[in-house]
Amino acid sequence: MEDDEIEAESRSDSRAGAEDSNGEAAGRKPKLSRKNIFTLVSAASVNFSSMICYSILGPFFPTEAEKKGVNQTVTGLIFGCYALCTLLGSLVLGKYIVQIGAKFMLCAGLFLSGGCTVLFGLLDRVPHGVPFILMCFIVRSIDAVGFAAAMTSSFAIIAKAFPNNIATVLGILEIFTGLGLVLGPPLGGFLYQSFGYEIPFIVLGFVLILMVPLNIYVLPSYDATPSKDSFWRLFTLPKISLLCFLIFSMSSCFGFLDPTMSLFVIEKFHLPTGYVGLVFLVLALFNSLSSPLLGIVSDKMPNTRRWLMVIGGITAALGYCFLGPAPFLHLKSQLWLFVFMLALTGFSSGMTCIPTLPEIVKCAYENGFEDDLSTLGLVSGLYGAVWSFGTFFGPTVGGFLVEKFSFEWAAAAQGGLIFISVLFLGIYYFVEPCFRRPATTSVEENEERAPLLSNHI
């Protein structure tokens, strides 16, 4: 009975958006339903709690790992294995989201991830060397599967609840993602300096577990019919392949900074661990503050998405080249320049990443995928898998490059990867009109411009 009411409410909201976009109900303002508000609250809690637990490792774990006899390459692999298992989990869970149930998947993922975060805080009691390394890999891998379950279901639910305003909602959620990334490093660094290695993980792990009953209470249930479509058919669409390459390059750069930036800042600028957390704050802060505005622009003016991605990608590529800065620039490394480049890359990453998910969803629908939760699960799983592959590649290869060459050269290489992906995407958008088939304007295309937030809020 409850599912019928939810489906009826969704159809009613969709019809209202269509009428407003076609001018048939000009006096009526679209507004958030109770169901949509609860969905936003749930997704916000998932983003915040998951990211605050994910981000606490950056400021102090590389130093703690060195004490346990772990070199920088292996530390990068410990960071990278999380992403690799998230990749595999996203593909499997995205395919079977309908069979498992989106709400159950989200809550179970939160519980699993929170429990593993607590266990990770107890690893300082494990002996040095191989036992410590092995336990880090096991706990982080299981944690990653829980994270994949929570984020894959969250993205799919958001796309289902807000089909015409995906970028706007993602921009709003980036505030909570950024808040988690912003609070994680300084809070983790403070707790580490004040209470030692265990307390940051235990405290924040229980914060994640406490999100489970909240989401059980507020999150509506979503049902759908399993789809016969596959990840391979989705990924082999040329436009989606290029968008995935862009997502991969951006996530690789984010992942590269996790195990390498703290050691670079400490060695180059002689900052204490507590202040290193504040440096991590800059990137997340500028990304989260810019994303809501960029999401609104992306939804209100869909034709600007390609320019946002291309311009943002080029800016991010330049930012990483100046982050070190790259040796071929012959510039002296200074703290103010480093912080400014972090702020620039944070803003430009919002320009690049926010439009990608709605563009993938739109491309999937244009190529015959069904408009249901099953397709959104495939899209969400693919997005999470590609992002995770980048965050595996970034710290793994980045850690190796830093160890063999330097942070400056490794950062420049990451910037070059972004530039190549943007170049290919820009070429595609340039030649796309030559191969596009003429199509009539549909109600769905008009609905895409319907605002999510009205004057009632």
Side-chain angles (χ1 to χ4, degrees):
M1 189 66 176
E2 180 183 353
D3 294 338
D4 293 339
E5 292 174 357
I6 289 174
E7 189 66 30
E9 186 177 355
S10 298
R11 288 195 297 268
S12 177
D13 292 343
S14 179
R15 284 195 299 269
E19 289 174 359
D20 289 340
S21 63
N22 286 292
E24 297 174 7
R28 207 163 59 191
K29 299 278 186 179
K31 58 184 180 180
L32 289 173
S33 66
R34 180 171 173 267
K35 168 196 165 187
N36 287 344
I37 292 174
F38 281 176
T39 302
L40 269 178
V41 170
S42 174
S45 71
V46 171
N47 283 35
F48 172 75
S49 56
S50 296
M51 291 304 168
I52 197 172
C53 289
Y54 171 80
S55 63
I56 60 173
L57 270 71
F60 62 86
F61 181 75
T63 304
E64 193 71 23
E66 278 188 337
K67 296 178 184 178
K68 291 283 190 178
V70 183
N71 62 39
Q72 194 163 351
T73 300
V74 176
T75 301
L77 287 171
I78 292 172
F79 278 89
C81 80
Y82 186 95
L84 182 62
C85 292
T86 303
L87 183 159
L88 298 174
S90 297
L91 291 175
V92 175
L93 295 168
K95 175 65 176 177
Y96 296 103
I97 188 172
V98 174
Q99 292 89 334
I100 297 173
K103 181 175 181 177
F104 176 81
M105 183 187 292
L106 187 147
C107 295
L110 284 177
F111 183 80
L112 184 61
S113 184
C116 288
T117 301
V118 173
L119 289 177
F120 203 83
L122 304 177
L123 294 185
D124 64 326
R125 305 182 184 186
V126 177
H128 288 51
V130 175
F132 177 79
I133 294 172
L134 185 61
M135 289 304 300
C136 283
F137 276 115
I138 292 173
V139 176
R140 286 286 284 175
S141 298
I142 299 173
D143 187 3
V145 174
F147 178 81
M151 298 308 296
T152 299
S153 55
S154 177
F155 276 140
I157 289 171
I158 284 298
K160 177 68 175 177
F162 304 95
N164 308 315
N165 304 96
I166 299 174
T168 300
V169 176
L170 288 180
I172 294 172
L173 292 179
E174 276 297 313
I175 296 176
F176 297 94
T177 300
L179 188 60
L181 293 173
V182 163
L183 292 179
L187 181 58
F190 170 76
L191 292 174
Y192 174 74
Q193 282 190 323
S194 303
F195 303 103
Y197 176 81
E198 295 181 2
I199 295 300
F201 296 100
I202 294 174
V203 170
L204 297 179
F206 276 108
V207 169
L208 196 61
I209 293 172
L210 289 175
M211 293 295 112
V212 175
L214 171 66
N215 283 277
I216 290 175
Y217 176 73
V218 304
L219 184 64
S221 297
Y222 291 86
D223 295 320
T225 303
S227 173
K228 295 181 180 179
D229 289 312
S230 65
F231 281 111
W232 182 249
R233 182 186 168 218
L234 184 67
F235 179 74
T236 51
L237 295 173
K239 182 178 179 180
I240 291 181
S241 296
L242 293 173
L243 289 170
C244 286
F245 185 25
L246 179 60
I247 295 166
F248 162 77
S249 65
M250 294 300 300
S251 63
S252 175
C253 290
F254 279 115
F256 158 74
L257 295 176
D258 283 333
T260 60
M261 187 169 73
S262 61
L263 295 176
F264 174 76
V265 170
I266 291 171
E267 293 173 2
K268 182 70 69 172
F269 306 117
H270 309 292
L271 293 181
T273 304
Y275 286 96
V276 173
L278 295 178
V279 175
F280 273 85
L281 182 151
V282 175
L283 179 66
L285 184 64
F286 276 82
N287 177 257
S288 60
L289 291 179
S290 63
S291 292
L293 176 61
L294 294 169
I296 293 173
V297 171
S298 177
D299 278 333
K300 285 184 174 292
M301 295 179 287
N303 290 332
T304 64
R305 290 174 185 164
R306 62 187 64 188
W307 300 112
L308 288 174
M309 289 186 288
V310 171
I311 295 173
I314 293 173
T315 306
L318 291 174
Y320 276 92
C321 286
F322 280 90
L323 194 62
F328 59 79
L329 295 174
H330 304 292
L331 296 174
K332 183 180 178 181
S333 182
Q334 300 181 67
L335 182 59
W336 72 264
L337 178 63
F338 186 85
V339 172
F340 178 73
M341 287 299 114
L342 282 180
L344 183 65
T345 54
F347 178 81
S348 58
S349 64
M351 291 179 64
T352 309
C353 296
I354 289 296
T356 53
L357 186 61
E359 280 289 286
I360 293 175
V361 172
K362 179 183 176 184
C363 183
Y365 291 158
E366 288 174 346
N367 285 273
F369 283 76
E370 296 180 5
D371 183 359
D372 60 12
L373 183 63
S374 183
T375 295
L376 296 175
L378 290 175
V379 171
S380 178
L382 179 63
Y383 186 94
V386 172
W387 183 273
S388 299
F389 182 55
T391 53
F392 169 76
F393 179 88
T396 303
V397 177
F400 173 79
L401 291 176
V402 170
E403 193 170 356
K404 296 298 180 182
F405 300 98
S406 66
F407 177 88
E408 292 86 346
W409 278 114
Q414 294 291 334
L417 182 64
I418 297 177
F419 181 78
I420 293 172
S421 66
V422 170
L423 178 64
F424 286 158
L425 186 64
I427 292 173
Y428 173 84
Y429 278 128
F430 181 76
V431 302
E432 182 188 22
C434 301
F435 301 96
R436 183 183 299 166
R437 291 174 299 178
T440 57
T441 302
S442 64
V443 172
E444 286 77 9
E445 289 171 336
N446 290 325
E447 281 185 320
E448 195 169 45
R449 297 164 175 81
L452 169 68
L453 303 177
S454 68
N455 295 332
H456 296 284
I457 301 174

